[in-house]
Amino acid sequence: LQYDFLLKTIRSRKRFSKWHKKSASADIDVIKQYYGYSDAKAESVADLISADDIKAMKSQLSQGGKKR
């Protein structure tokens, strides 16, 4: 009887959510492309690189086209 009670009272629904993905930073992507680093190495080095250096990297890597 207890099993029947639980079966009838608990509604069926989706109980699990999707996995959360890491949000990619534009600065990390620039470092990866400029130096050819992996994700983990680029994240560890990001603290050592200044904002001015990242701007210089972006200008060297820019391939033209419209800015969004």
Side-chain angles (χ1 to χ4, degrees), residues 22 27-33 35-49:
K22 272 188 175 178
D27 295 340
I28 300 290
D29 292 336
V30 169
I31 294 169
K32 282 173 35 180
Q33 190 176 8
Y35 290 112
Y37 285 164
S38 65
D39 291 334
K41 187 153 187 170
E43 287 177 7
S44 65
V45 173
D47 297 335
L48 304 173
I49 299 174

Side-chain angles (χ1 to χ4, degrees), residues 9-66:
T9 56
I10 297 176
R11 296 180 183 165
S12 62
R13 62 180 173 169
K14 186 176 179 183
R15 300 191 191 283
F16 303 102
S17 62
K18 293 184 178 182
W19 288 94
H20 294 285
K21 295 182 180 178
K22 272 188 175 178
S23 58
S25 171
D27 295 340
I28 300 290
D29 292 336
V30 169
I31 294 169
K32 282 173 35 180
Q33 190 176 8
Y34 189 80
Y35 290 112
Y37 285 164
S38 65
D39 291 334
K41 187 153 187 170
E43 287 177 7
S44 65
V45 173
D47 297 335
L48 304 173
I49 299 174
S50 68
D52 294 332
D53 293 337
I54 291 175
K55 285 181 185 177
M57 288 180 212
K58 283 182 183 179
S59 67
Q60 286 184 349
L61 293 175
S62 100
Q63 297 174 352
K66 291 184 178 182

